[in-house]
Amino acid sequence: MDIDPDDVFRDDEDPENELFQERDSTKEMLVYLVDASPKMFSTTCPSEDQKDVTHFQVAVSCIAQSLRTQIINRSYDEVAICFFNTRERKNLQDSNNVYVFNVPEREELDRPTARLIKEFDSIEESFSKEIGSKYGILPGSRDNSLYNALWVAQALLRKGSAKTAEKRILLFTNEDDPFGNIKGMTKMDMTRTTLQRAKDAQDLGISIELLPLTRPDDEFNMSLFYADLLGLEGTNLTQFKALVGERFEDMKDQLRKRMFRKRKIRRLKFIITDAISIEVNTYALVRPTNPGTITWLDSVTNLPLKTDRSFICADTGALVQGTPKLFQTYKNESIMFSTDELSEIKRVSTGPLRLLGFKPLSCLKDYHNLKPSTFVFPSDECTLCSNFIFCIHFNLLAVFFAVAFYGSSTHPQLVALVAQEEIMSTSGQVEPPGMHMIYLPYSDDVRPVEELHTDTNAMAPRATDDQIKSASALVRRVDLKSFSVCQFANPALQRHYAVLQALALDEDEMPDVQDETLPDEEGMARPGVVKALEEFKLSVYGENYDEESDSIASGKTSDASKKRKAIADKATEESAKVDWSDLADKGELKELTVPKLKYYLTANGLSVSGKKEDLINRILTHLGK
Amino acid sequence: MNLCALTFLIVIDAVVVGMDMLIKKYGQTNKGKKRLCLLTNAASPTKDPYDGTKEDQVNTIAEQMRAHGMKMDCIVVRVTQDLDVDKKILEENDYLLNAFSYKSSTKTVHVDSPTSLLGALRTRNISPVTIYRGDFEMSSKMKIKVWVYKKTSEEKFPTLKKYSDKAPPTDNFATHEIKVDYEYKSIEDPNKSVPPEQRIKGYRYGPQVVPISSAELEAFKFKPEKSVKLLGFTDDSNIMRHYYMRDVNIFIAEPGNTKAIVAVSALARALKEMNKVAIVRCVWRQGQGNAVVGVLTPNVSDKHHIPDSFYFNVLPFAEDIREFQFPSFSNLPSSMQPNEQQQEAADKLVQMLDLAPTGKEVLRPDLTPNPVLERFYHCLEVKSKQQDAAVPPLDETLRKITEPDPELISQNKAVIDEFHRCFELKENPKLKKSSRRLLKEKPTGSNEEGLGSGAVQAIDAIEYTSRVKVEKIGDLDPVQDFEAMMSRRDGTEWVNKAIQDMKNKIFDMVENSFEGDTYHKALECLVALRKGCILEQEPKQFNDFLHHLVKFCQEKDLKSFGEYLASHEITLISKKEAPDSEISEEDAKSFIVKREPKAEN
């Protein structure tokens, strides 16, 4: 699990890479459009520590969090943060009530920088002073802050072509009827122009997404205005659910999930039978995040270095041009392979994903795992695929899994397709419905460790029922009820990026990152837990364990140490037989055999490594000659 | 030190002989590394020894094996067909072999197919090394001594060395290896190489690259203490199977430490009973740069001489999870939901393709060899005999791993046909479109799939016989290949290639004909070529070729072909047929006729 950044000599065809890279070359341009109206500040929801948090704070903290994730994972994406319904104005169009937040050395729509993240973190304090909140749509004035905001966002997204970049506007608001306080013709007019503005943006390939914030008792009514703005109709509208967060955490969770766009790894053809194959998309839902690749810099100029790789013949030292052939030594001969031949060897299957059959889930053992799984979901375009997946899905749930052969070019491998039922919680979808592809090991990859230390004569000791009972009591005591796999942040990664951020901003003080993975000492010290532990210990170890453990430990070491002692004793004995000083003076040490020289060295606690010459030199040095 | 005893008759004697060979060769050395591999069907009667019972004999041998630190892998091969042998003998033999396992370090595996046999034969035995030895801390007061090994670890495809032919052929000691040399050069001055001590690591942080010296890196690095600590227990349903991140480790109690073994056993059995798992935080080594959080699942042993243990799987951190939202299946419109018939057909398919009927699991990961490695070693052997040998095709035994069992399919043809019927009925234009797109995508971009022409052809041939992707004209059905190539729409070069290939083919046929035996085929090809050239507006190509061909026939004294052509009225392509042609209709018609008399002159 060691993260080794010093990995320049990694194998060229490192197969792991294939798995961890996502091949999505398009970058994303994203404008966060945040409503900063007084209503966003007056509506609150309770947070964990019983303090009330405003909707504005929810939105801001989500954006801050996603910026952090983005700078690590997808730093090529460009973002802009834009508030509307503000007192001040700052934008290229000089429109009223719109404020584009930015930091120096950065364009308004640009990649996130360390500075942006840092300053955005403290926006809540500076907001009222520098930006200010104010309703932008008031009766009697013709100002339309929502229209202005969309206009500014669209202008920000003008750069880059729609083909190479995906452009999105994420709109955070808790006002379901922006023109509610305006009457008559003005309202119709404003509504019409705003909708037209949104439609223009959508025609330019910009997608507008709405993240409505509401409280349970005050539902966000899509049909008042936003359904038209987003172009939602019929079933789509009913499916679009407002984020109803009872708690701040729930709301944050939902926002986080909606802010990221799904990216598929690839589309696969899943061959069911000779005549039927369906299309599925694969997604990487779980992949280890690492500190990223290193770039070598010149320490004088801090400019990046260019790496030149050259092949040098080990025999002659000559430079080898072109791609050399490869060889493997076999029976003392070099067997040559061309890269074509090697890929031919690896091509053992006729299809990308081929169904072989089904097995009961009990056949999938806990040790049948090699690398993170891949999520499989039917592709949108084909009814048949989803039909089939539904059938199989229904069939497989909790009982069977499908065995298929995944014919990748580098790692053709057996996979298990395990159906997953959708799991919902108050904060939305926890587990999406679909299938997880689990990579199975071959017999070559499984090691029979269990049998390694078996004592052939004796029965292995087993716990008695009483001992199991005390263990059960302990398990019941130390129960993590709400454990979820993603509750811990990676301490090494957190530290790494905190250090990076501090260095990037030239901060003197290094941040202290909390390690969330340490056990809960406090919880473990609760009397109930301590008692259960004591009882378990007593039950399996007996009364006077500590003494015994020591004796076991010393008994274990005695074997090795006895041997070592015996060698040392013998060495001392043997070494005493020789008059070393005399031999050294006469220069006759070289007449002695190496084992004899080693007696001296061992007896005097010196290293016995090296050639005879080294040994003699070491003895001479030790004798002081 | 492996020894394979390949005998089916006198199993016990063979074991004795095998042991003797190992003892003679290696004596007391290499304790624990000597391994016997017994391959038997254990279906033949064993003969009674001169004194004592068979059981005694087995005991004596097992005793000897233990004394010499020998291990035995016993693979019992039983294919279902040969069950007509005496049940009694089978039982007796199984009993004797079991006695072996109890008394000595013998592992018995039953296999029922050649594929499993390949998987069961462990050619390379890695002596496992612990990745951690020490305390499993349940609290500061309660600790269990454990050893941690790797349970699964991917057996990588061997890394081949790069070959250099620079060394003179006379040099017998040449290694022919290539060293890879890296040189770091500054961007400003590409000729200036930067020495290693002047280099500094930079990490990306957004658009910035932040330089960090190794001293700084070391100072600020996360440095956890070596330990394995319990965080708590939780329901096993809280840990989804697909969250397992890496290869698997195994926690065993310190060997020989009875109390530790009992403690592990008690915990494992308690967890198993309650359907719980343990969450632990591990730092295997001092100085390791990271901690991992993982899950311990109980592995309760059913063999009385193997102690209970835990499997350990790494769990993801918060950063490793991407929460994408997918549409819920239940919310989708009814047209996307399957009908009853389809559901039934799918149910049957699942039943029929059951790979573990009545407990006899096929393709068990533990007994399934890696087909790529097997093929590579096979290829090595072939190539060692003949350096330029082609890569042998995938062995039939290995094909069982990559493709569905044809026997199983043919036995259940009715179910599959029903399944096809249910799912094909609903084919819609959208699907057709998307499948065509998939086909089209393949030759251009998707290198990552690594499917060369051969494989693509193979799959497509199964499903899209009409749309076979042909890349060259074969001997079997040149006309069809030609037409397929001409109609390829994924590149303009295919038409020219097809025409060129076809011309060569026709030449070959004419030239290699024996008393006109290939004329008929050549004519068919020529007709196809003519048609193709008209369709693709390439009359000149055909006309030039026909001129050339006729001339060639005259020169090579192959007049008979010219006559054959004339008799079948093959003409040049005229202006009427293709506007680009420069040949008038009469000229076209008279072409062969005109030529023929000349040839006879």
Side-chain angles (χ1 to χ4, degrees):
Chain A
M1 205 51 207
D2 210 350
I3 296 166
D4 180 18
D6 202 356
D7 219 355
V8 270
F9 296 100
R10 194 194 300 238
D11 199 336
D12 289 355
E13 312 160 295
D14 194 347
E16 307 274 287
N17 279 349
E18 183 209 28
L19 189 71
F20 299 138
Q21 274 168 8
E22 281 173 61
R23 314 163 183 277
D24 210 347
S25 53
T26 58
K27 68 176 172 187
E28 191 177 272
M29 292 180 177
L30 184 59
V31 176
Y32 292 110
L33 211 54
V34 186
D35 188 354
S37 70
K39 192 179 176 186
M40 286 288 281
F41 289 89
S42 60
T43 326
T44 56
C45 50
S47 82
E48 204 172 48
D49 45 0
Q50 299 309 316
K51 259 191 253 166
D52 281 357
V53 180
T54 64
H55 278 161
F56 183 77
Q57 282 169 316
V58 174
V60 164
S61 78
C62 285
I63 294 171
Q65 204 174 37
S66 81
L67 284 177
R68 264 173 225 283
T69 321
Q70 197 192 336
I71 200 170
I72 297 171
N73 285 333
R74 307 198 52 87
S75 75
Y76 286 94
D77 290 351
E78 298 184 2
V79 290
I81 303 162
C82 174
F83 297 102
F84 66 102
N85 287 334
T86 55
R87 190 183 65 224
E88 307 295 323
R89 64 171 179 224
K90 183 170 157 262
N91 56 71
L92 279 175
Q93 286 73 26
D94 221 20
S95 306
N96 276 335
N97 309 108
V98 180
Y99 190 96
V100 179
F101 177 81
N102 201 11
V103 293
E105 292 165 40
R106 188 178 172 273
E107 285 178 50
E108 288 185 330
L109 178 77
D110 205 348
R111 298 162 61 186
T113 61
R115 192 147 176 193
L116 179 79
I117 290 176
K118 193 172 165 59
E119 294 200 5
F120 191 75
D121 274 350
S122 54
I123 186 135
E124 269 176 63
E125 289 105 69
S126 60
F127 189 81
S128 58
K129 202 171 106 231
E130 280 165 25
I131 304 171
S133 165
K134 185 186 161 207
Y135 280 117
I137 304 165
L138 292 166
S141 94
R142 294 204 65 86
D143 268 347
N144 182 346
S145 54
L146 184 61
Y147 174 90
N148 288 350
L150 287 171
W151 171 238
V152 168
Q154 189 193 327
L156 284 170
L157 289 168
R158 195 170 288 155
K159 78 173 186 186
S161 93
K163 273 178 196 150
T164 55
E166 211 174 304
K167 298 179 179 181
R168 292 203 293 159
I169 297 174
L170 280 186
L171 182 66
F172 295 77
T173 184
N174 62 356
E175 176 60 76
D176 52 4
D177 189 10
F179 309 110
N181 52 1
I182 295 176
K183 301 250 153 24
M185 275 301 288
T186 333
K187 176 173 179 173
M188 275 173 64
D189 193 40
M190 276 188 165
T191 311
R192 190 181 51 77
T193 47
T194 312
L195 290 180
Q196 187 57 43
R197 172 59 42 219
K199 196 174 171 296
D200 286 351
Q202 281 158 337
D203 288 345
L204 286 170
I206 299 170
S207 65
I208 302 177
E209 281 162 51
L210 178 69
L211 298 168
L213 301 141
T214 42
R215 279 194 306 186
D217 50 337
D218 177 20
E219 206 180 308
F220 195 95
N221 192 346
M222 289 295 292
S223 54
L224 283 179
F225 174 73
Y226 279 105
D228 292 335
L229 184 114
L230 302 177
L232 292 180
E233 282 166 18
T235 47
N236 282 340
L237 184 61
T238 51
Q239 268 179 45
F240 190 96
K241 270 199 264 161
L243 298 152
V244 184
E246 300 222 4
R247 285 163 49 239
F248 166 67
E249 276 72 31
D250 290 351
M251 199 167 259
K252 232 168 110 176
D253 263 5
Q254 291 179 59
L255 279 185
R256 199 181 62 226
K257 282 178 193 164
R258 288 209 193 169
M259 282 194 313
F260 284 100
R261 168 137 298 194
K262 286 194 289 248
R263 286 161 206 268
K264 62 177 175 234
I265 319 181
R266 69 176 57 138
R267 176 182 291 188
L268 279 184
K269 199 157 88 174
F270 184 15
I271 304 175
I272 310 291
T273 66
D274 282 347
I276 290 190
S277 65
I278 60 173
E279 263 174 67
V280 290
N281 289 335
T282 55
Y283 301 86
L285 297 189
V286 185
R287 287 293 178 274
T289 314
N290 48 37
T293 49
I294 46 169
T295 316
W296 284 103
L297 303 175
D298 186 335
S299 60
V300 181
T301 60
N302 268 352
L303 283 173
L305 296 171
K306 213 174 70 187
T307 317
D308 260 5
R309 192 177 66 167
S310 48
F311 295 131
I312 290 167
C313 172
D315 302 318
T316 59
L319 213 62
V320 181
Q321 304 286 348
T323 13
K325 271 202 153 198
L326 299 164
F327 76 100
Q328 169 81 30
T329 316
Y330 178 72
K331 292 183 181 166
N332 291 328
E333 255 182 89
S334 300
I335 312 290
M336 312 275 278
F337 287 92
S338 67
T339 38
D340 286 348
E341 281 172 325
L342 286 176
S343 52
E344 172 61 35
I345 288 174
K346 290 181 182 173
R347 192 187 300 137
V348 289
S349 135
T350 51
L353 190 61
R354 182 143 203 172
L355 180 74
L356 300 180
F358 302 90
K359 282 184 191 180
L361 270 180
S362 60
C363 289
L364 183 65
K365 301 280 190 271
D366 277 324
Y367 63 88
H368 291 163
N369 206 67
L370 284 175
K371 47 189 178 184
S373 64
T374 303
F375 185 65
V376 178
F377 197 81
S379 88
D380 316 330
E381 292 113 57
C382 108
T383 324
L384 181 77
C385 316
S386 32
N387 268 335
F388 176 76
I389 292 284
F390 285 129
C391 292
I392 297 294
H393 190 261
F394 180 74
N395 230 304
L396 294 184
L397 274 178
V399 190
F400 280 98
F401 67 94
V403 184
F405 195 79
Y406 176 52
S408 92
S409 59
T410 50
H411 274 67
Q413 153 166 64
L414 281 172
V415 294
L417 292 167
V418 181
Q420 173 66 49
E421 205 174 6
E422 181 174 31
I423 298 178
M424 301 287 284
S425 78
T426 48
S427 63
Q429 199 176 49
V430 181
E431 290 293 333
M435 302 222 243
H436 289 280
M437 188 153 96
I438 289 160
Y439 301 89
L440 297 174
Y442 290 116
S443 68
D444 315 55
D445 309 327
V446 180
R447 299 177 177 180
V449 185
E450 288 95 330
E451 293 130 21
L452 197 65
H453 296 285
T454 52
D455 191 349
T456 47
N457 240 357
M459 305 274 277
R462 287 274 190 274
T464 62
D465 285 346
D466 280 349
Q467 286 165 331
I468 296 173
K469 213 173 270 170
S470 66
S472 307
L474 174 67
V475 170
R476 228 168 276 131
R477 276 281 170 197
V478 200
D479 194 7
L480 307 169
K481 283 225 166 55
S482 57
F483 181 82
S484 95
V485 282
C486 47
Q487 73 183 44
F488 301 116
N490 185 342
L493 208 63
Q494 289 295 328
R495 171 79 65 105
H496 177 84
Y497 280 110
V499 168
L500 222 54
Q501 191 176 356
L503 288 173
L505 294 169
D506 280 327
E507 279 171 12
D508 296 327
E509 218 171 294
M510 279 301 150
D512 200 33
V513 175
Q514 195 204 339
D515 182 357
E516 300 168 357
T517 62
L518 283 169
D520 172 18
E521 299 286 350
E522 228 172 88
M524 285 293 196
R526 279 199 311 259
V529 176
V530 173
K531 191 161 162 266
L533 271 165
E534 282 300 328
E535 271 165 20
F536 176 59
K537 189 172 173 183
L538 190 69
S539 153
V540 293
Y541 286 169
E543 289 283 345
N544 36 13
Y545 161 71
D546 287 327
E547 291 86 346
E548 249 187 282
S549 81
D550 283 347
S551 72
I552 289 171
S554 62
K556 282 295 287 180
T557 46
S558 67
D559 272 356
S561 66
K562 254 185 220 156
K563 208 168 160 189
R564 222 172 292 136
K565 195 155 178 288
I567 294 170
D569 285 348
K570 181 146 195 273
T572 327
E573 196 181 303
E574 293 286 331
S575 137
K577 290 180 189 162
V578 184
D579 185 353
W580 296 92
S581 182
D582 183 45
L583 284 177
D585 285 340
K586 288 184 198 152
E588 281 173 10
L589 279 180
K590 58 178 184 297
E591 311 285 325
L592 294 174
T593 60
V594 170
K596 279 190 180 152
L597 292 172
K598 282 187 178 168
Y599 284 140
Y600 179 88
L601 291 167
T602 319
N604 290 288
L606 297 169
S607 158
V608 291
S609 63
K611 291 180 179 169
K612 188 172 184 181
E613 220 169 296
D614 301 332
L615 302 184
I616 293 172
N617 282 336
R618 211 171 289 142
I619 293 172
L620 289 175
T621 328
H622 186 254
L623 288 166
K625 298 189 172 167
Chain B
M1 282 81 217
N2 293 335
L3 188 79
C4 275
L6 282 153
T7 166
F8 300 94
L9 284 171
I10 337 162
V11 173
I12 293 175
D13 288 356
V15 173
V16 175
V17 171
M19 272 174 67
D20 195 46
M21 279 165 74
L22 279 178
I23 294 167
K24 274 196 183 130
K25 187 149 184 200
Y26 299 104
Q28 283 296 337
T29 58
N30 288 315
K31 209 167 186 170
K33 285 189 193 162
K34 282 175 281 196
R35 198 161 69 101
L36 279 168
C37 182
L38 177 69
L39 258 175
T40 172
N41 64 355
S44 320
T46 41
K47 66 172 182 189
D48 277 318
Y50 297 114
D51 45 20
T53 61
K54 288 176 192 173
E55 216 181 326
D56 290 341
Q57 202 185 6
V58 166
N59 285 347
T60 342
I61 297 170
E63 197 59 43
Q64 277 296 310
M65 278 171 67
R66 271 218 345 234
H68 285 97
M70 249 180 238
K71 289 186 179 164
M72 185 159 88
D73 281 351
C74 177
I75 303 170
V76 183
V77 189
R78 269 188 207 138
V79 187
T80 14
Q81 285 99 296
D82 50 45
L83 275 180
D84 50 340
V85 288
D86 195 341
K87 278 254 162 61
K88 220 173 134 197
I89 296 172
L90 285 184
E91 271 161 28
E92 190 195 2
N93 285 336
D94 279 350
Y95 174 73
L96 288 176
L97 286 172
N98 274 340
F100 259 121
S101 347
Y102 293 144
K103 299 278 154 50
S104 64
S105 308
T106 300
K107 192 179 129 193
T108 314
V109 186
H110 287 259
V111 299
D112 54 7
S113 75
T115 318
S116 317
L117 176 60
L118 265 179
L121 275 173
R122 287 178 174 274
T123 39
R124 188 171 155 227
N125 244 28
I126 301 152
S127 23
V129 184
T130 50
I131 56 173
Y132 176 86
R133 287 184 195 199
D135 292 330
F136 168 31
E137 296 171 36
M138 301 184 69
S139 77
S140 50
K141 296 217 180 67
M142 170 67 199
K143 293 168 184 169
I144 305 175
K145 293 238 177 273
V146 291
W147 287 13
V148 182
Y149 286 96
K150 276 198 176 296
K151 174 65 189 168
T152 60
S153 172
E154 194 187 324
E155 183 79 17
K156 295 243 164 70
F157 192 84
T159 310
L160 277 68
K161 291 180 187 136
K162 297 183 173 67
Y163 186 84
S164 153
D165 47 9
K166 298 270 179 200
T170 48
D171 185 355
N172 289 333
F173 298 102
T175 57
H176 293 289
E177 282 172 32
I178 289 180
K179 280 191 294 193
V180 186
D181 193 49
Y182 290 92
E183 219 174 353
Y184 295 89
K185 290 177 175 161
S186 76
I187 285 187
E188 290 166 326
D189 180 10
N191 294 324
K192 207 182 97 194
S193 150
V194 178
E197 63 274 11
Q198 205 189 314
R199 282 193 333 239
I200 187 165
K201 277 177 196 163
Y203 286 92
R204 277 192 182 285
Y205 195 68
Q208 278 167 289
V209 180
V210 183
I212 304 184
S213 70
S214 17
E216 277 175 310
L217 203 64
E218 195 53 41
F220 302 132
K221 213 168 87 174
F222 177 64
K223 279 177 282 224
E225 287 291 311
K226 169 182 170 178
S227 63
V228 170
K229 289 179 197 285
L230 175 77
L231 298 184
F233 303 97
T234 190
D235 288 338
D236 59 3
S237 58
N238 271 347
I239 312 290
M240 307 277 178
R241 181 65 175 75
H242 57 263
Y243 284 127
Y244 291 3
M245 292 283 281
R246 290 164 61 89
D247 36 17
V248 186
N249 294 336
I250 183 167
F251 274 55
I252 59 169
E254 185 178 58
N257 184 341
T258 321
K259 301 221 150 156
I261 297 175
V262 170
V264 167
S265 166
L267 205 54
R269 281 164 193 259
L271 288 178
K272 174 109 181 166
E273 259 173 35
M274 302 167 74
N275 289 327
K276 296 264 184 186
V277 292
I279 307 295
V280 286
R281 169 198 193 261
C282 306
V283 180
W284 308 121
R285 279 172 289 129
Q286 193 62 44
Q288 179 180 315
N290 202 359
V292 288
V293 171
V295 57
L296 287 183
T297 44
N299 172 30
V300 172
S301 154
D302 50 3
K303 294 201 182 88
H304 68 92
H305 63 285
I306 296 177
D308 298 331
S309 52
F310 291 109
Y311 291 126
F312 172 83
N313 270 292
V314 177
L315 292 176
F317 285 115
E319 292 91 340
D320 305 339
I321 304 243
R322 287 158 220 186
E323 293 170 281
F324 297 150
Q325 299 269 296
F326 289 89
S328 167
F329 279 3
S330 49
N331 278 352
L332 289 173
S334 57
S335 69
M336 302 276 272
Q337 309 267 13
N339 58 30
E340 240 168 75
Q341 251 183 335
Q342 287 178 322
Q343 186 63 56
E344 203 176 306
D347 287 355
K348 278 199 183 127
L349 185 81
V350 172
Q351 277 168 23
M352 167 219 108
L353 284 175
D354 190 358
L355 295 180
T358 61
K360 277 203 154 185
E361 186 188 349
V362 290
L363 288 177
R364 259 178 69 190
D366 307 66
L367 290 177
T368 310
N370 183 342
V372 175
L373 287 179
E374 294 289 337
R375 195 178 186 195
F376 175 70
Y377 294 130
H378 181 202
C379 190
L380 258 185
E381 177 65 30
V382 171
K383 275 188 167 250
S384 76
K385 288 178 185 139
Q386 194 194 341
Q387 186 67 257
D388 56 351
V391 176
L394 191 65
D395 194 271
E396 208 42 56
T397 332
L398 298 174
R399 203 170 278 280
K400 292 237 169 73
I401 302 165
T402 67
E403 280 169 26
D405 187 0
E407 225 169 277
L408 193 64
I409 300 286
S410 62
Q411 275 168 15
N412 297 284
K413 207 171 167 307
V415 179
I416 292 188
D417 287 344
E418 170 68 18
F419 178 76
H420 285 176
R421 213 177 49 73
C422 280
F423 281 88
E424 260 166 348
L425 278 176
K426 292 200 65 166
E427 196 176 15
N428 59 19
K430 259 187 184 168
L431 168 77
K432 270 188 190 156
K433 202 174 89 197
S434 55
S435 63
R436 197 175 308 137
R437 181 163 353 115
L438 192 73
L439 266 172
K440 237 182 218 174
E441 273 168 10
K442 256 183 207 151
T444 48
S446 57
N447 262 344
E448 73 262 24
E449 278 312 328
L451 290 168
S453 57
V456 175
Q457 241 170 302
I459 335 160
D460 291 343
I462 299 166
E463 287 150 88
Y464 305 94
T465 23
S466 55
R467 284 193 225 114
V468 179
K469 189 140 287 164
V470 183
E471 293 185 335
K472 90 185 221 289
I473 293 177
D475 289 320
L476 210 63
D477 197 343
V479 174
Q480 200 184 1
D481 288 351
F482 172 73
E483 278 167 0
M485 247 167 113
M486 291 291 276
S487 57
R488 273 181 82 152
R489 285 287 170 269
D490 52 341
T492 46
E493 74 280 7
W494 290 111
V495 169
N496 272 325
K497 191 175 181 316
I499 293 175
Q500 202 51 49
D501 273 12
M502 196 58 168
K503 287 177 184 173
N504 294 341
K505 195 106 262 157
I506 296 171
F507 255 120
D508 286 353
M509 281 185 212
V510 174
E511 199 171 11
N512 300 332
S513 75
F514 176 73
E515 294 183 348
D517 58 346
T518 57
Y519 283 0
H520 178 65
K521 216 168 172 182
L523 181 78
E524 275 179 2
C525 292
L526 203 61
V527 172
L529 181 65
R530 189 171 188 281
K531 202 170 117 205
C533 284
I534 293 170
L535 277 174
E536 292 297 327
Q537 294 295 326
E538 298 275 4
K540 190 163 161 37
Q541 290 239 36
F542 178 80
N543 290 347
D544 289 354
F545 173 68
L546 193 60
H547 276 293
H548 186 64
L549 184 69
V550 170
K551 200 165 153 222
F552 173 81
C553 290
Q554 287 159 6
E555 281 164 9
K556 294 278 174 206
D557 205 23
L558 283 164
K559 266 177 285 179
S560 53
F561 186 63
E563 285 157 19
Y564 191 72
L565 286 184
S567 66
H568 286 84
E569 293 181 347
I570 290 290
T571 64
L572 294 171
I573 298 174
S574 69
K575 236 192 184 81
K576 201 178 153 200
E577 285 169 297
D580 286 355
S581 172
E582 291 155 359
I583 315 266
S584 69
E585 212 173 329
E586 290 95 84
D587 283 356
K589 277 201 177 123
S590 61
F591 171 67
I592 299 280
V593 192
K594 215 162 61 190
R595 286 282 177 158
E596 286 309 306
K598 260 190 205 165
E600 273 163 3
N601 283 343

